[in-house]
């Protein structure tokens, strides 16, 4: 849902720019749904950070302003039905994209695209796979992109787009390998053929009838603060449950108060140890477990003695 919101926000920024360029006022500002696919993809890749350059208009547009759930299983075994022109036209003109049914393999969202070329209109499916992980390497990107490509080819979809969105994961610095026998150095980077490049015109590839597979890694410092919000979205009850169910494991580390493995930065979730309240609870719990005299009690034990013992 957070990634869908990010996609919607990027579209909204482009609509705002279009309204300003056309000097639209009042209700006319809300008549512009479709935006350039190329500009939208580039904006997603930049973290929603706009440039002073004019919007790169193109023949392929994306136009959804909300994302709903489609729980039909008609596309479980084949994506062919998702490329039906009548279906895609209806979804596009409704301003929709949709989440797929729960536990659908490979993809998470389907977005209709519109190609207007030579006075003809055609609709193209865009299959979106979302990965929200702190560590997601280039080789993992390549694996996921190949999965989508293989499925689209299996279903004989010749004109479609497969988009992998990697959220909350900064790129891993890739170092070149040692020189090979030819004296040339090869990079460990394995996702280069799939990663969206700055200024790349995906619309031209789609207009030529290609199956296009690309990956976009959303920067962790996006303009809307959504990556940060996602990292901190864990429910408080779940965090507390983790904190106060680890007594045995704290004991297993030796009941020492200065073990580096037990420092909050090492022991807690990344988004948790930055929260002062949870960090203080954890430190109290850790000290209590390392206190043989039982003179120190964690905050939760003071509130609910029976639940801690």
């Amino acid at each position: 849902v957070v990634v869908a919101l990010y996609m919607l926000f990027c579209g909204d920024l482009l609509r705002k720019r279009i309204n300003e360029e056309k000097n639209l006022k009042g209700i006319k500002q809300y008549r512009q749904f479709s935006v350039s696919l190329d500009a939208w993809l580039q904006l997603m890749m930049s973290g929603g950070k706009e440039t002073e350059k004019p919007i790169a208009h193109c023949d392929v547009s994306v136009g959804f302003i909300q994302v709903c759930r489609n729980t039909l299983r008609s596309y479980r075994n084949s994506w062919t039905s998702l490329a039906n022109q009548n279906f895609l036209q209806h979804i596009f003109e409704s301003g929709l994209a949709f989440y797929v049914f729960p536990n659908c393999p490979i993809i998470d969202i389907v977005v209709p695209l519109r190609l207007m070329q030579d006075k003809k209109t055609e609709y193209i499916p865009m299959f979106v796979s979302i990965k929200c992980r702190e560590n997601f390497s280039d080789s993992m990107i390549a694996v996921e992109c190949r999965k989508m490509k293989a499925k689209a080819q299996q279903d004989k979809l010749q004109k479609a787009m497969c988009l992998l969105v990697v959220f909350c994961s900064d790129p891993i610095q890739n170092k070149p390998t040692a020189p090979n026998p030819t004296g040339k150095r090869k990079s460990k980077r394995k996702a280069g053929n799939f990663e969206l490049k700055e200024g790349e015109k995906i619309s031209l590839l789609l207009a030529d009838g290609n199956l296009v597979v690309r990956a976009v890694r959303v920067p962790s410092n996006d303009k809307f603060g959504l990556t940060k919000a996602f990292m901190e979205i864990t429910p408080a009850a779940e965090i507390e449950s983790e904190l106060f169910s680890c007594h045995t494991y704290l004991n297993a580390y030796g009941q020492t108060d200065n073990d580096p493995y037990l420092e909050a930065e090492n022991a807690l979730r990344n988004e948790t140890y930055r929260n002062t309240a949870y960090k203080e609870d954890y430190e109290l719990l850790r000290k209590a477990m390392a206190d043989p005299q039982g003179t120190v009690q964690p905050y939760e034990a003071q509130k609910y003695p029976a639940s801690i013992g």
Side-chain angles (χ1 to χ4, degrees):
V1 173
V2 175
V3 176
L5 190 61
Y6 177 77
M7 296 162 71
L8 289 166
F9 281 179
C10 287
D12 286 343
L13 284 180
L14 292 174
R15 292 183 191 96
K16 182 174 181 292
R17 288 277 301 276
I18 292 171
N19 288 336
E20 291 172 352
E21 289 178 3
K22 295 182 177 180
N23 197 28
L24 298 178
K25 304 293 184 181
I27 192 65
K28 292 182 179 180
Q29 297 180 87
Y30 304 100
R31 295 178 180 174
Q32 180 70 43
F33 284 7
S34 60
V35 297
S36 161
L37 174 67
D38 290 333
W40 181 72
L41 289 172
Q42 292 294 316
L43 195 57
M44 285 220 300
M45 184 175 68
S46 72
K49 297 172 183 176
E50 300 175 277
T51 65
E52 297 298 324
K53 297 179 181 178
I55 294 176
H57 296 285
C58 65
D59 293 334
V60 182
S61 57
V62 55
F64 67 101
I65 59 171
Q66 60 180 327
V67 185
C68 302
R69 175 76 67 182
N70 178 2
T71 55
L72 296 176
R73 265 67 171 177
S74 54
Y75 49 90
R76 173 173 22 208
N77 298 321
S78 173
W79 293 350
T80 304
S81 65
L82 297 177
N84 179 276
Q85 288 296 293
N86 291 331
F87 174 77
L88 288 173
Q89 180 180 358
H90 179 81
I91 300 301
F92 186 92
E93 292 178 351
S94 300
L96 294 176
F98 61 84
Y99 304 109
V100 296
F101 61 85
N103 299 317
C104 177
I106 304 179
I107 58 174
D108 301 287
I109 294 177
V110 177
V111 178
L113 305 176
R114 183 179 64 190
L115 168 63
M116 300 182 72
Q117 190 178 45
D118 300 328
K119 297 182 179 180
K120 295 181 180 179
T121 301
E122 183 180 359
Y123 296 91
I124 301 170
M126 179 166 70
F127 307 105
V128 182
S129 175
I130 298 169
K131 302 299 177 187
C132 299
R133 302 178 191 173
E134 185 177 3
N135 296 310
F136 204 84
S137 66
D138 291 336
S139 59
M140 294 168 76
I141 286 178
V143 168
E144 296 301 322
C145 285
R146 291 190 185 107
K147 283 182 185 178
M148 288 192 288
K149 183 177 182 180
K151 177 60 177 173
Q153 289 176 331
Q154 175 187 320
D155 294 336
K156 297 181 172 55
L157 298 178
Q158 297 179 347
K159 185 182 290 188
M161 181 169 184
C162 298
L163 178 66
L164 174 67
V165 179
V166 182
F167 204 67
C168 291
S169 174
D170 286 323
I172 299 172
Q173 297 298 321
N174 293 279
K175 297 180 180 180
T177 59
N180 62 21
T182 64
K184 297 180 179 179
R185 299 173 72 87
K186 294 183 178 180
S187 172
K188 291 182 178 180
R189 201 170 182 82
K190 298 180 180 180
N193 292 335
F194 295 112
E195 286 184 310
L196 181 70
K197 299 173 180 61
E198 185 175 352
E200 188 175 11
K201 303 295 184 183
I202 297 299
S203 60
L204 298 179
L205 299 175
L206 290 172
D208 288 341
N210 293 298
L211 169 62
V212 181
V213 185
R214 288 295 183 273
V216 170
R217 193 189 292 270
V218 178
S220 59
N221 61 339
D222 71 279
K223 177 178 180 177
F224 318 110
L226 288 175
T227 47
K228 182 178 183 296
F230 179 82
M231 294 295 288
E232 298 175 353
I233 206 169
T234 309
E238 184 178 341
I239 295 175
E240 289 190 351
S241 174
E242 287 187 2
L243 281 182
F244 299 107
S245 65
C246 60
H247 308 146
T248 300
Y249 308 104
L250 287 172
N251 268 328
Y253 271 111
Q255 296 188 359
T256 176
D257 193 37
N258 57 0
D259 192 326
Y261 292 108
L262 299 183
E263 293 297 328
E265 288 78 356
N266 295 324
L268 301 182
R269 300 185 188 203
N270 277 5
E271 74 275 18
T272 305
Y273 78 77
R274 298 189 184 100
N275 185 308
T276 303
Y278 292 123
K279 186 173 181 177
E280 289 177 354
D281 277 3
Y282 174 77
E283 293 300 340
L284 281 171
L285 175 63
R286 185 163 69 93
K287 291 176 181 178
M289 296 304 296
D291 177 25
Q293 305 301 321
T295 57
V296 179
Q297 285 192 326
Y299 176 63
E300 286 293 317
Q302 297 172 28
K303 290 195 298 183
Y304 312 109
S307 65
I308 295 299

